[in-house]
PDB file of all heavy atoms in Angstrom:
ATOM      1  N   VAL A  12       7.437 -10.062  -1.600  1.00 86.00           N
ATOM      2  CA  VAL A  12       8.646 -10.359  -0.832  1.00 86.00           C
ATOM      3  C   VAL A  12       8.329 -11.503   0.115  1.00 86.00           C
ATOM      4  O   VAL A  12       7.538 -11.342   1.049  1.00 86.00           O
ATOM      5  CB  VAL A  12       9.106  -9.121  -0.022  1.00 86.00           C
ATOM      6  CG1 VAL A  12      10.360  -9.429   0.771  1.00 86.00           C
ATOM      7  CG2 VAL A  12       9.328  -7.930  -0.928  1.00 86.00           C
ATOM      8  N   GLY A  13       8.925 -12.665  -0.123  1.00 81.00           N
ATOM      9  CA  GLY A  13       8.647 -13.829   0.729  1.00 81.00           C
ATOM     10  C   GLY A  13       7.182 -14.204   0.669  1.00 81.00           C
ATOM     11  O   GLY A  13       6.628 -14.407  -0.404  1.00 81.00           O
ATOM     12  N   ASN A  14       6.534 -14.263   1.826  1.00 78.00           N
ATOM     13  CA  ASN A  14       5.111 -14.604   1.905  1.00 78.00           C
ATOM     14  C   ASN A  14       4.218 -13.374   1.969  1.00 78.00           C
ATOM     15  O   ASN A  14       3.040 -13.482   2.292  1.00 78.00           O
ATOM     16  CB  ASN A  14       4.834 -15.484   3.134  1.00 78.00           C
ATOM     17  CG  ASN A  14       5.450 -16.851   2.996  1.00 78.00           C
ATOM     18  OD1 ASN A  14       5.604 -17.357   1.889  1.00 78.00           O
ATOM     19  ND2 ASN A  14       5.823 -17.449   4.110  1.00 78.00           N
ATOM     20  N   HIS A  15       4.766 -12.189   1.691  1.00 83.00           N
ATOM     21  CA  HIS A  15       4.017 -10.940   1.808  1.00 83.00           C
ATOM     22  C   HIS A  15       4.026 -10.173   0.493  1.00 83.00           C
ATOM     23  O   HIS A  15       4.897 -10.358  -0.340  1.00 83.00           O
ATOM     24  CB  HIS A  15       4.629 -10.056   2.904  1.00 83.00           C
ATOM     25  CG  HIS A  15       4.593 -10.679   4.252  1.00 83.00           C
ATOM     26  ND1 HIS A  15       5.532 -11.588   4.678  1.00 83.00           N
ATOM     27  CD2 HIS A  15       3.722 -10.528   5.275  1.00 83.00           C
ATOM     28  CE1 HIS A  15       5.246 -11.970   5.909  1.00 83.00           C
ATOM     29  NE2 HIS A  15       4.148 -11.341   6.288  1.00 83.00           N
ATOM     30  N   VAL A  16       3.045  -9.304   0.362  1.00 87.00           N
ATOM     31  CA  VAL A  16       3.010  -8.368  -0.762  1.00 87.00           C
ATOM     32  C   VAL A  16       2.947  -6.966  -0.165  1.00 87.00           C
ATOM     33  O   VAL A  16       2.042  -6.657   0.610  1.00 87.00           O
ATOM     34  CB  VAL A  16       1.799  -8.609  -1.683  1.00 87.00           C
ATOM     35  CG1 VAL A  16       1.728  -7.546  -2.770  1.00 87.00           C
ATOM     36  CG2 VAL A  16       1.876  -9.996  -2.305  1.00 87.00           C
ATOM     37  N   GLU A  17       3.931  -6.154  -0.514  1.00 90.00           N
ATOM     38  CA  GLU A  17       3.964  -4.775  -0.040  1.00 90.00           C
ATOM     39  C   GLU A  17       3.238  -3.897  -1.046  1.00 90.00           C
ATOM     40  O   GLU A  17       3.331  -4.119  -2.253  1.00 90.00           O
ATOM     41  CB  GLU A  17       5.406  -4.304   0.097  1.00 90.00           C
ATOM     42  CG  GLU A  17       6.200  -5.102   1.109  1.00 90.00           C
ATOM     43  CD  GLU A  17       7.671  -4.719   1.121  1.00 90.00           C
ATOM     44  OE1 GLU A  17       8.197  -4.289   0.067  1.00 90.00           O
ATOM     45  OE2 GLU A  17       8.292  -4.839   2.187  1.00 90.00           O
ATOM     46  N   VAL A  18       2.506  -2.888  -0.547  1.00 93.00           N
ATOM     47  CA  VAL A  18       1.819  -1.925  -1.398  1.00 93.00           C
ATOM     48  C   VAL A  18       2.524  -0.589  -1.219  1.00 93.00           C
ATOM     49  O   VAL A  18       2.620  -0.067  -0.109  1.00 93.00           O
ATOM     50  CB  VAL A  18       0.330  -1.777  -1.016  1.00 93.00           C
ATOM     51  CG1 VAL A  18      -0.359  -0.747  -1.908  1.00 93.00           C
ATOM     52  CG2 VAL A  18      -0.380  -3.118  -1.081  1.00 93.00           C
ATOM     53  N   PHE A  19       3.047  -0.053  -2.326  1.00 93.00           N
ATOM     54  CA  PHE A  19       3.725   1.233  -2.296  1.00 93.00           C
ATOM     55  C   PHE A  19       2.774   2.306  -2.820  1.00 93.00           C
ATOM     56  O   PHE A  19       2.115   2.114  -3.848  1.00 93.00           O
ATOM     57  CB  PHE A  19       4.994   1.206  -3.152  1.00 93.00           C
ATOM     58  CG  PHE A  19       6.073   0.334  -2.568  1.00 93.00           C
ATOM     59  CD1 PHE A  19       6.108  -1.030  -2.826  1.00 93.00           C
ATOM     60  CD2 PHE A  19       7.044   0.876  -1.751  1.00 93.00           C
ATOM     61  CE1 PHE A  19       7.092  -1.837  -2.293  1.00 93.00           C
ATOM     62  CE2 PHE A  19       8.038   0.085  -1.206  1.00 93.00           C
ATOM     63  CZ  PHE A  19       8.059  -1.288  -1.470  1.00 93.00           C
ATOM     64  N   THR A  20       2.710   3.427  -2.098  1.00 95.00           N
ATOM     65  CA  THR A  20       1.811   4.537  -2.421  1.00 95.00           C
ATOM     66  C   THR A  20       2.616   5.838  -2.373  1.00 95.00           C
ATOM     67  O   THR A  20       3.841   5.807  -2.386  1.00 95.00           O
ATOM     68  CB  THR A  20       0.667   4.603  -1.397  1.00 95.00           C
ATOM     69  OG1 THR A  20       1.224   4.925  -0.111  1.00 95.00           O
ATOM     70  CG2 THR A  20      -0.106   3.298  -1.315  1.00 95.00           C
ATOM     71  N   SER A  21       1.924   6.948  -2.244  1.00 95.00           N
ATOM     72  CA  SER A  21       2.590   8.253  -2.140  1.00 95.00           C
ATOM     73  C   SER A  21       3.510   8.319  -0.928  1.00 95.00           C
ATOM     74  O   SER A  21       4.437   9.114  -0.900  1.00 95.00           O
ATOM     75  CB  SER A  21       1.550   9.366  -2.051  1.00 95.00           C
ATOM     76  OG  SER A  21       0.803   9.249  -0.853  1.00 95.00           O
ATOM     77  N   GLU A  22       3.259   7.493   0.066  1.00 94.00           N
ATOM     78  CA  GLU A  22       4.130   7.467   1.240  1.00 94.00           C
ATOM     79  C   GLU A  22       5.558   7.075   0.842  1.00 94.00           C
ATOM     80  O   GLU A  22       6.519   7.536   1.445  1.00 94.00           O
ATOM     81  CB  GLU A  22       3.579   6.494   2.276  1.00 94.00           C
ATOM     82  CG  GLU A  22       4.400   6.439   3.547  1.00 94.00           C
ATOM     83  CD  GLU A  22       3.775   5.534   4.579  1.00 94.00           C
ATOM     84  OE1 GLU A  22       3.631   4.324   4.320  1.00 94.00           O
ATOM     85  OE2 GLU A  22       3.433   6.048   5.649  1.00 94.00           O
ATOM     86  N   ASN A  23       5.670   6.230  -0.181  1.00 92.00           N
ATOM     87  CA  ASN A  23       6.978   5.763  -0.635  1.00 92.00           C
ATOM     88  C   ASN A  23       7.542   6.604  -1.763  1.00 92.00           C
ATOM     89  O   ASN A  23       8.726   6.906  -1.778  1.00 92.00           O
ATOM     90  CB  ASN A  23       6.870   4.300  -1.081  1.00 92.00           C
ATOM     91  CG  ASN A  23       6.189   3.440  -0.052  1.00 92.00           C
ATOM     92  OD1 ASN A  23       4.992   3.206  -0.150  1.00 92.00           O
ATOM     93  ND2 ASN A  23       6.914   3.011   0.957  1.00 92.00           N
ATOM     94  N   LEU A  24       6.706   6.944  -2.733  1.00 90.00           N
ATOM     95  CA  LEU A  24       7.125   7.724  -3.901  1.00 90.00           C
ATOM     96  C   LEU A  24       6.086   8.811  -4.157  1.00 90.00           C
ATOM     97  O   LEU A  24       5.217   8.676  -5.011  1.00 90.00           O
ATOM     98  CB  LEU A  24       7.259   6.818  -5.133  1.00 90.00           C
ATOM     99  CG  LEU A  24       8.301   5.701  -5.033  1.00 90.00           C
ATOM    100  CD1 LEU A  24       8.108   4.685  -6.151  1.00 90.00           C
ATOM    101  CD2 LEU A  24       9.701   6.275  -5.075  1.00 90.00           C
ATOM    102  N   PRO A  25       6.151   9.919  -3.434  1.00 91.00           N
ATOM    103  CA  PRO A  25       5.098  10.935  -3.506  1.00 91.00           C
ATOM    104  C   PRO A  25       4.934  11.592  -4.870  1.00 91.00           C
ATOM    105  O   PRO A  25       3.847  12.050  -5.203  1.00 91.00           O
ATOM    106  CB  PRO A  25       5.499  11.973  -2.454  1.00 91.00           C
ATOM    107  CG  PRO A  25       6.880  11.640  -2.052  1.00 91.00           C
ATOM    108  CD  PRO A  25       7.178  10.244  -2.464  1.00 91.00           C
ATOM    109  N   ALA A  26       5.958  11.612  -5.680  1.00 89.00           N
ATOM    110  CA  ALA A  26       5.867  12.303  -6.977  1.00 89.00           C
ATOM    111  C   ALA A  26       5.110  11.498  -8.030  1.00 89.00           C
ATOM    112  O   ALA A  26       4.592  12.079  -8.983  1.00 89.00           O
ATOM    113  CB  ALA A  26       7.262  12.631  -7.492  1.00 89.00           C
ATOM    114  N   CYS A  27       5.037  10.162  -7.860  1.00 89.00           N
ATOM    115  CA  CYS A  27       4.452   9.396  -8.967  1.00 89.00           C
ATOM    116  C   CYS A  27       3.410   8.358  -8.560  1.00 89.00           C
ATOM    117  O   CYS A  27       2.857   7.689  -9.434  1.00 89.00           O
ATOM    118  CB  CYS A  27       5.558   8.739  -9.783  1.00 89.00           C
ATOM    119  SG  CYS A  27       6.594   7.610  -8.857  1.00 89.00           S
ATOM    120  N   LEU A  28       3.110   8.204  -7.275  1.00 94.00           N
ATOM    121  CA  LEU A  28       2.104   7.227  -6.868  1.00 94.00           C
ATOM    122  C   LEU A  28       0.947   7.934  -6.161  1.00 94.00           C
ATOM    123  O   LEU A  28       1.085   9.046  -5.663  1.00 94.00           O
ATOM    124  CB  LEU A  28       2.716   6.171  -5.948  1.00 94.00           C
ATOM    125  CG  LEU A  28       3.811   5.316  -6.577  1.00 94.00           C
ATOM    126  CD1 LEU A  28       4.362   4.331  -5.550  1.00 94.00           C
ATOM    127  CD2 LEU A  28       3.317   4.586  -7.803  1.00 94.00           C
ATOM    128  N   SER A  29      -0.195   7.264  -6.115  1.00 96.00           N
ATOM    129  CA  SER A  29      -1.411   7.856  -5.561  1.00 96.00           C
ATOM    130  C   SER A  29      -1.317   8.062  -4.049  1.00 96.00           C
ATOM    131  O   SER A  29      -0.574   7.371  -3.348  1.00 96.00           O
ATOM    132  CB  SER A  29      -2.612   6.979  -5.884  1.00 96.00           C
ATOM    133  OG  SER A  29      -2.847   7.017  -7.271  1.00 96.00           O
ATOM    134  N   ASN A  30      -2.141   9.001  -3.587  1.00 96.00           N
ATOM    135  CA  ASN A  30      -2.160   9.409  -2.188  1.00 96.00           C
ATOM    136  C   ASN A  30      -2.507   8.237  -1.274  1.00 96.00           C
ATOM    137  O   ASN A  30      -3.515   7.557  -1.469  1.00 96.00           O
ATOM    138  CB  ASN A  30      -3.190  10.525  -2.023  1.00 96.00           C
ATOM    139  CG  ASN A  30      -3.134  11.173  -0.673  1.00 96.00           C
ATOM    140  OD1 ASN A  30      -2.719  10.575   0.311  1.00 96.00           O
ATOM    141  ND2 ASN A  30      -3.577  12.417  -0.621  1.00 96.00           N
ATOM    142  N   LYS A  31      -1.690   8.031  -0.257  1.00 95.00           N
ATOM    143  CA  LYS A  31      -1.900   6.942   0.693  1.00 95.00           C
ATOM    144  C   LYS A  31      -3.280   7.002   1.334  1.00 95.00           C
ATOM    145  O   LYS A  31      -3.883   5.972   1.639  1.00 95.00           O
ATOM    146  CB  LYS A  31      -0.821   6.973   1.770  1.00 95.00           C
ATOM    147  CG  LYS A  31      -0.973   5.884   2.778  1.00 95.00           C
ATOM    148  CD  LYS A  31       0.012   5.998   3.906  1.00 95.00           C
ATOM    149  CE  LYS A  31      -0.272   4.884   4.896  1.00 95.00           C
ATOM    150  NZ  LYS A  31       0.399   5.068   6.140  1.00 95.00           N
ATOM    151  N   ALA A  32      -3.824   8.206   1.530  1.00 96.00           N
ATOM    152  CA  ALA A  32      -5.141   8.367   2.166  1.00 96.00           C
ATOM    153  C   ALA A  32      -6.263   7.725   1.355  1.00 96.00           C
ATOM    154  O   ALA A  32      -7.330   7.444   1.890  1.00 96.00           O
ATOM    155  CB  ALA A  32      -5.437   9.851   2.376  1.00 96.00           C
ATOM    156  N   ASN A  33      -6.038   7.448   0.072  1.00 97.00           N
ATOM    157  CA  ASN A  33      -7.064   6.851  -0.784  1.00 97.00           C
ATOM    158  C   ASN A  33      -7.103   5.323  -0.707  1.00 97.00           C
ATOM    159  O   ASN A  33      -7.942   4.698  -1.340  1.00 97.00           O
ATOM    160  CB  ASN A  33      -6.852   7.270  -2.241  1.00 97.00           C
ATOM    161  CG  ASN A  33      -7.037   8.751  -2.432  1.00 97.00           C
ATOM    162  OD1 ASN A  33      -7.713   9.411  -1.665  1.00 97.00           O
ATOM    163  ND2 ASN A  33      -6.434   9.286  -3.471  1.00 97.00           N
ATOM    164  N   PHE A  34      -6.193   4.718   0.051  1.00 97.00           N
ATOM    165  CA  PHE A  34      -6.101   3.267   0.165  1.00 97.00           C
ATOM    166  C   PHE A  34      -6.586   2.821   1.535  1.00 97.00           C
ATOM    167  O   PHE A  34      -6.173   3.363   2.551  1.00 97.00           O
ATOM    168  CB  PHE A  34      -4.646   2.802  -0.007  1.00 97.00           C
ATOM    169  CG  PHE A  34      -4.072   3.037  -1.374  1.00 97.00           C
ATOM    170  CD1 PHE A  34      -3.517   4.263  -1.703  1.00 97.00           C
ATOM    171  CD2 PHE A  34      -4.072   2.033  -2.319  1.00 97.00           C
ATOM    172  CE1 PHE A  34      -2.974   4.486  -2.960  1.00 97.00           C
ATOM    173  CE2 PHE A  34      -3.534   2.247  -3.577  1.00 97.00           C
ATOM    174  CZ  PHE A  34      -2.985   3.471  -3.891  1.00 97.00           C
ATOM    175  N   GLN A  35      -7.464   1.821   1.556  1.00 96.00           N
ATOM    176  CA  GLN A  35      -7.900   1.210   2.807  1.00 96.00           C
ATOM    177  C   GLN A  35      -7.594  -0.285   2.701  1.00 96.00           C
ATOM    178  O   GLN A  35      -8.245  -1.001   1.929  1.00 96.00           O
ATOM    179  CB  GLN A  35      -9.392   1.405   3.056  1.00 96.00           C
ATOM    180  CG  GLN A  35      -9.799   2.855   3.276  1.00 96.00           C
ATOM    181  CD  GLN A  35     -10.061   3.599   1.983  1.00 96.00           C
ATOM    182  OE1 GLN A  35     -10.642   3.063   1.053  1.00 96.00           O
ATOM    183  NE2 GLN A  35      -9.611   4.840   1.901  1.00 96.00           N
ATOM    184  N   ILE A  36      -6.612  -0.737   3.489  1.00 94.00           N
ATOM    185  CA  ILE A  36      -6.199  -2.138   3.462  1.00 94.00           C
ATOM    186  C   ILE A  36      -7.036  -2.916   4.464  1.00 94.00           C
ATOM    187  O   ILE A  36      -7.265  -2.461   5.590  1.00 94.00           O
ATOM    188  CB  ILE A  36      -4.697  -2.272   3.750  1.00 94.00           C
ATOM    189  CG1 ILE A  36      -3.912  -1.555   2.648  1.00 94.00           C
ATOM    190  CG2 ILE A  36      -4.279  -3.736   3.858  1.00 94.00           C
ATOM    191  CD1 ILE A  36      -2.419  -1.547   2.806  1.00 94.00           C
ATOM    192  N   SER A  37      -7.476  -4.113   4.059  1.00 93.00           N
ATOM    193  CA  SER A  37      -8.320  -4.939   4.937  1.00 93.00           C
ATOM    194  C   SER A  37      -7.506  -5.409   6.147  1.00 93.00           C
ATOM    195  O   SER A  37      -6.280  -5.502   6.093  1.00 93.00           O
ATOM    196  CB  SER A  37      -8.839  -6.156   4.170  1.00 93.00           C
ATOM    197  OG  SER A  37      -7.782  -7.081   3.935  1.00 93.00           O
ATOM    198  N   PRO A  38      -8.191  -5.720   7.252  1.00 91.00           N
ATOM    199  CA  PRO A  38      -7.481  -6.208   8.449  1.00 91.00           C
ATOM    200  C   PRO A  38      -6.663  -7.475   8.178  1.00 91.00           C
ATOM    201  O   PRO A  38      -5.615  -7.672   8.773  1.00 91.00           O
ATOM    202  CB  PRO A  38      -8.609  -6.489   9.453  1.00 91.00           C
ATOM    203  CG  PRO A  38      -9.759  -5.657   8.995  1.00 91.00           C
ATOM    204  CD  PRO A  38      -9.622  -5.563   7.489  1.00 91.00           C
ATOM    205  N   GLU A  39      -7.131  -8.308   7.247  1.00 87.00           N
ATOM    206  CA  GLU A  39      -6.406  -9.535   6.920  1.00 87.00           C
ATOM    207  C   GLU A  39      -5.177  -9.262   6.053  1.00 87.00           C
ATOM    208  O   GLU A  39      -4.296 -10.087   5.929  1.00 87.00           O
ATOM    209  CB  GLU A  39      -7.305 -10.530   6.167  1.00 87.00           C
ATOM    210  CG  GLU A  39      -8.556 -10.924   6.901  1.00 87.00           C
ATOM    211  CD  GLU A  39      -9.674  -9.896   6.710  1.00 87.00           C
ATOM    212  OE1 GLU A  39      -9.688  -9.157   5.700  1.00 87.00           O
ATOM    213  OE2 GLU A  39     -10.537  -9.815   7.583  1.00 87.00           O
ATOM    214  N   GLY A  40      -5.168  -8.091   5.418  1.00 85.00           N
ATOM    215  CA  GLY A  40      -4.041  -7.721   4.563  1.00 85.00           C
ATOM    216  C   GLY A  40      -4.026  -8.393   3.198  1.00 85.00           C
ATOM    217  O   GLY A  40      -3.034  -8.340   2.491  1.00 85.00           O
ATOM    218  N   THR A  41      -5.143  -9.003   2.798  1.00 87.00           N
ATOM    219  CA  THR A  41      -5.188  -9.703   1.513  1.00 87.00           C
ATOM    220  C   THR A  41      -5.932  -8.931   0.440  1.00 87.00           C
ATOM    221  O   THR A  41      -6.031  -9.393  -0.697  1.00 87.00           O
ATOM    222  CB  THR A  41      -5.868 -11.078   1.669  1.00 87.00           C
ATOM    223  OG1 THR A  41      -7.171 -10.871   2.213  1.00 87.00           O
ATOM    224  CG2 THR A  41      -5.055 -11.987   2.574  1.00 87.00           C
ATOM    225  N   GLU A  42      -6.452  -7.768   0.786  1.00 93.00           N
ATOM    226  CA  GLU A  42      -7.169  -6.953  -0.192  1.00 93.00           C
ATOM    227  C   GLU A  42      -7.126  -5.495   0.244  1.00 93.00           C
ATOM    228  O   GLU A  42      -6.851  -5.191   1.401  1.00 93.00           O
ATOM    229  CB  GLU A  42      -8.605  -7.417  -0.366  1.00 93.00           C
ATOM    230  CG  GLU A  42      -9.435  -7.326   0.897  1.00 93.00           C
ATOM    231  CD  GLU A  42     -10.788  -7.971   0.747  1.00 93.00           C
ATOM    232  OE1 GLU A  42     -10.849  -9.216   0.686  1.00 93.00           O
ATOM    233  OE2 GLU A  42     -11.788  -7.228   0.686  1.00 93.00           O
TER     234      GLU A  42
END
């Protein structure tokens, strides 16, 4: 979206995406 990339996890779709607790986003937000 624009200049950003959103990451959707269980927080957004709990029935079909992986648990948000398993994701660690870098401080820069690029990985």
Side-chain angles (χ1 to χ4, degrees):
V12 180
N14 292 331
H15 298 82
V16 175
E17 298 174 331
V18 179
F19 291 86
T20 65
S21 65
E22 182 176 62
N23 310 96
L24 298 166
C27 60
L28 297 179
S29 292
N30 189 334
K31 180 185 178 193
N33 295 336
F34 294 85
Q35 294 86 40
I36 297 178
S37 72
E39 302 83 25
T41 57
E42 61 188 72

